[in-house]
């Protein structure tokens, strides 16, 4: 789908939740090269996401002349923490355990905006913190890890053709987000190519799109 059409669909979905809400689009460039990133950037897209530290490092190097904001959205292995930190991502969306949070926190020499990744689908293949522990873990990290600036939550919707299951996973994420709002949470990152419209209708204010954005470019 072209960029303008996607932006239009985001606007339409927003009106079904709350006209006033801002929904930020993050372009996930993990399966494309810097060339496609530049293509989208010239159309006005500023924020991009990568799920591997090495690839993030490579693209940052290649795209130094562009004022791009990079998000880290992948599972972070502890042996990659030292490589991620100097890249200074705009947002680390995938903090998925207290232990990992502490590992990053103790090495940071600046404040890193961070989201707690929740495993709302409770699928074994997905990383993230269980729903019923999410609020407690978030507050624990916020209390103990002073270099992590906890900004909200991220989840990956249930992988299912049954839209009611996908919706439930977004509703569950949103409920956790609401509980964390009094504690400073501002970002509810949910929605990917196959389900972003539903995610926005359920209250998402940050979506992460890869496939649908880049499919026509390759
Ligand atoms: C790949 C990825 C996306 C984008 O997925 P698409 O289905 O290609 O839009 C979003 N979030 C995360 C965490 C990802 O790894």
């Amino acid at each position: 789908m072209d960029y303008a059409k996607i932006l239009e669909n985001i606007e339409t979905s927003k009106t079904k939740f709350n006209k006033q809400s801002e929904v930020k689009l993050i372009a996930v460039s993990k399966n494309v090269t810097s060339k496609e990133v530049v293509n989208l950037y010239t159309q006005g897209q500023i924020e991009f996401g990568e799920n591997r530290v090495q690839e993030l490092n490579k693209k940052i190097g290649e795209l130094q002349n562009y004022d791009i904001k990079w998000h880290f959205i992948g599972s972070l292995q502890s042996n990659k923490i030292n490589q991620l930190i100097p890249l200074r991502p705009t947002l680390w969306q995938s903090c998925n355990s207290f232990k990992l949070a502490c590992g990053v926190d103790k090495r940071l020499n600046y404040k890193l905006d961070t989201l707690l990744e929740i495993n709302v689908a409770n699928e074994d293949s997905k990383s993230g913190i269980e729903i019923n522990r999410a609020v407690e873990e978030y507050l624990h990290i916020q209390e103990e890890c002073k270099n992590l600036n906890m900004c909200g939550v991220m989840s990956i919707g249930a992988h299912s053709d049954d839209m009611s299951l996908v919706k439930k996973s977004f509703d569950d994420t949103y409920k956790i987000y609401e509980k964390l709002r009094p504690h400073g949470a501002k970002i509810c990152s949910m929605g990917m190519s196959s389900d972003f419209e539903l995610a926005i209708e359920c209250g998402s204010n940050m979506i992460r799109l890869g496939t649908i954005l880049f499919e026509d470019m390759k």
Side-chain angles (χ1 to χ4, degrees), residues 36-198:
E36 285 83 15
V37 172
V38 170
N39 182 328
L40 209 57
Y41 179 85
T42 56
Q43 297 181 61
Q45 179 66 30
I46 306 291
E47 304 202 32
F48 289 83
E50 284 288 337
N51 69 339
R52 288 181 195 282
V53 176
Q54 216 173 338
E55 183 62 21
L56 178 63
N57 186 30
K58 179 166 177 265
K59 286 207 175 77
I60 288 177
E62 290 171 353
L63 297 165
Q64 283 175 35
N65 296 333
Y66 298 87
D67 193 14
I68 291 174
K69 289 184 178 171
W70 291 103
H71 293 233
F72 187 72
I73 63 170
S75 61
L76 179 61
Q77 291 161 283
S78 52
N79 62 356
K80 296 282 161 53
I81 295 174
N82 286 334
Q83 291 167 48
L84 179 67
I85 286 177
L87 301 178
R88 290 184 170 257
T90 289
L91 183 62
W92 174 31
Q93 296 210 15
S94 44
C95 175
N96 56 21
S97 77
F98 179 71
K99 188 163 170 259
L100 184 65
C102 294
V104 174
D105 177 66
K106 70 176 184 213
R107 293 176 175 87
L108 276 169
N109 53 355
Y110 60 90
K111 297 261 188 233
L112 176 61
D113 285 355
T114 301
L115 303 182
L116 184 71
E117 181 180 353
I118 303 166
N119 182 359
V120 270
N122 271 327
E123 287 164 10
D124 292 343
S125 60
K126 279 173 194 161
S127 51
I129 290 186
E130 286 166 52
I131 297 175
N132 46 25
R133 285 179 42 235
V135 170
E136 185 192 334
E137 279 302 82
Y138 186 99
L139 297 176
H140 192 199
I141 293 170
Q142 195 170 49
E143 180 62 31
E144 298 293 328
C145 305
K146 295 300 180 192
N147 289 322
L148 298 181
N149 181 28
M150 297 306 290
C151 300
V153 295
M154 183 272 253
S155 75
I156 295 175
H159 183 74
S160 170
D161 295 331
D162 180 350
M163 277 320 213
S164 69
L165 281 180
V166 183
K167 182 173 187 305
K168 183 174 186 310
S169 60
F170 291 148
D171 287 339
D172 286 342
T173 307
Y174 190 77
K175 276 183 214 150
I176 294 165
Y177 169 64
E178 291 251 89
K179 286 190 190 144
L180 292 170
R181 275 220 281 210
H183 302 280
K186 291 184 179 59
I187 299 174
C188 178
S189 174
M190 56 187 190
M192 302 172 25
S193 291
S194 59
D195 53 24
F196 71 97
E197 284 140 321
L198 179 60

Side-chain angles (χ1 to χ4, degrees), residues 2-15:
D2 68 44
Y3 188 57
K5 179 69 186 153
I6 289 168
L7 295 182
E8 199 183 303
N9 288 3
I10 293 171
E11 288 307 307
T12 309
S13 302
K14 253 167 61 172
T15 59

